[in-house]
Amino acid sequence: MSFIAMNRFKIRPGREADFEQIWKDREGRLNEMKGFREFRLLKGPEGEDHTLYSSHTLWETKGDFETWTKSEQFRDAHKSAGKREGESPILGHPQFEGFETVLLEA
């Protein structure tokens, strides 16, 4: 049916705008990939030590997502990750979660 790929990010307090700008400035090439349907950057709750964000992509199949992770487009989209000057807005590493759709109501 479809596959949802998500990464959760813990963002340092006061650095939310910096994190969002990184995504706005990135070279997005998802739309070049077979099976890509949608991308969203989601802002979640604020805690004492971080604000939770999630990147969310929707794919036709898990195989389409896996092809993306091995592609030139993926390498280009992630080439600047971790190479920013100064302290990163991200606390730790993103947490990946992948989900296959088992039921859909629309």
Side-chain angles (χ1 to χ4, degrees):
M1 287 174 81
S2 61
F3 184 76
I4 296 173
M6 298 174 62
N7 277 295
R8 290 174 176 247
F9 301 87
K10 292 181 179 179
I11 305 306
R12 297 176 196 282
R15 301 292 307 276
E16 294 86 357
D18 296 333
F19 180 71
E20 292 173 20
Q21 194 62 49
I22 290 168
W23 285 92
K24 291 173 185 173
D25 292 345
R26 82 189 194 295
E27 181 182 355
R29 297 184 63 188
L30 287 164
N31 62 356
E32 297 174 15
M33 301 303 299
K34 175 188 172 293
F36 170 72
R37 292 291 164 247
E38 179 178 285
F39 168 84
R40 293 181 187 214
L41 180 62
L42 309 171
K43 184 177 183 180
E46 293 180 19
E48 288 184 25
D49 65 340
H50 71 274
T51 299
L52 185 63
Y53 279 80
S54 180
S55 64
H56 171 127
T57 51
L58 179 63
W59 299 87
E60 282 185 23
T61 69
K62 183 177 181 180
D64 290 334
F65 167 73
E66 290 171 345
T67 298
W68 152 251
T69 66
K70 299 171 185 162
S71 70
E72 174 187 338
Q73 290 89 339
F74 179 89
R75 288 188 297 278
D76 284 350
H78 294 86
K79 65 185 171 193
S80 300
K83 295 182 181 174
R84 313 218 186 298
E85 288 189 29
E87 184 181 49
S88 172
I90 304 168
L91 290 167
H93 295 284
Q95 177 186 345
F96 174 78
E97 298 172 324
F99 299 91
E100 292 186 74
T101 301
V102 294
L103 179 65
L104 173 66
E105 293 185 28

